[in-house]
């Protein structure tokens, strides 16, 4: 349903440097990068799946909890380090909860933004995963 990818931080006394390269430590061509900032614990996000999109989510600062669902089972993952990326493929319902005040998420995506790739209705998601 998901994979946690180890990402090497180049750390020294000056801080940490994280380098992400397509088809090296990111297993797809990167067409888009977006960031989620100024997040709030009271306002969970996500609540959708994607038909095709692959994404790698990196928590650059703070922490948050992902609830992932493949239509058959749910799993929970905390992201709290830039040294681990959460790899999400298609047909995984995702919810993001419990953002810390300093949480910053960076997401690398395999395609451009396309609203028609989203499944935002949970019943539709269940019907699609049931047919798979
Ligand atoms: C995902 C999770 C982890 C754009 O116009 N361009 C973009 O690249 C994105 C990502 C979103 N949008 C628009 C679509 C909505 O009108 O921005 C608005 C907020 O997006 P959304 O409600 O989908 O945001 P999240 O945080 O619930 O979900 C986002 C991604 O959309 C989604 O692909 O997997 O982060």
């Amino acid at each position: 349903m998901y994979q946690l990818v180890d990402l090497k931080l180049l750390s020294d006394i000056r801080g940490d440097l994280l380098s992400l390269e397509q088809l090296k430590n990111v297993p797809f061509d990167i067409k888009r990068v977006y960031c989620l900032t100024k997040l709030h614990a009271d306002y969970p996000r996500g609540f959708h799946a994607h038909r095709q999109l692959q994404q790698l989510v990196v928590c650059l600062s703070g922490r948050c909890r992902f609830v992932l669902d493949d239509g058959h089972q749910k799993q929970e993952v905390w992201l709290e380090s830039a040294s681990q990326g959460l790899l999400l493929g298609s047909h995984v319902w995702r919810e993001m909860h419990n953002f810390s005040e300093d949480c910053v998420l960076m997401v690398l995506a395999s395609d451009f933004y396309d609203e028609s790739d989203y499944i935002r209705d949970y019943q539709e998601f269940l019907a699609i995963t049931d047919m798979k």
Side-chain angles (χ1 to χ4, degrees), residues 38-47 96-99:
K38 297 184 187 169
L39 299 162
H40 200 287
D42 291 342
Y43 297 107
R45 303 186 67 115
F47 299 90
M96 295 170 273
H97 298 269
N98 301 97
F99 298 110

Side-chain angles (χ1 to χ4, degrees), residues 40-94:
H40 200 287
D42 291 342
Y43 297 107
R45 303 186 67 115
F47 299 90
H48 61 259
H50 283 281
R51 297 176 201 278
Q52 301 286 345
L53 194 69
Q54 296 180 67
Q55 301 193 99
L56 183 73
V57 186
V58 183
C59 184
L60 294 178
S61 159
R63 66 198 306 250
C64 77
R65 180 172 65 94
F66 274 72
V67 177
L68 303 169
D69 176 350
D70 65 3
H72 303 284
Q73 55 162 331
K74 291 187 186 198
Q75 292 186 2
E76 236 184 58
V77 187
W78 281 91
L79 282 194
E80 48 197 347
S81 165
S83 65
Q84 259 192 341
L86 174 66
L87 188 61
L88 294 175
S90 61
H91 299 111
V92 177
W93 187 265
R94 78 272 328 252

Side-chain angles (χ1 to χ4, degrees), residues 7 9 17-21 25-26 28 30 32-37 39 55-61 64 66 79 81-82 84-88 96 99 102-109:
L7 302 171
L9 290 180
L17 188 154
L18 172 64
S19 171
L20 299 173
E21 297 178 292
N25 53 358
V26 179
F28 51 77
I30 302 163
R32 177 168 52 111
V33 177
Y34 61 92
C35 291
L36 300 172
T37 60
L39 299 162
Q55 301 193 99
L56 183 73
V57 186
V58 183
C59 184
L60 294 178
S61 159
C64 77
F66 274 72
L79 282 194
S81 165
Q84 259 192 341
L86 174 66
L87 188 61
L88 294 175
M96 295 170 273
F99 298 110
D102 57 346
C103 185
V104 173
L105 297 177
M106 178 178 68
V107 186
L108 282 65

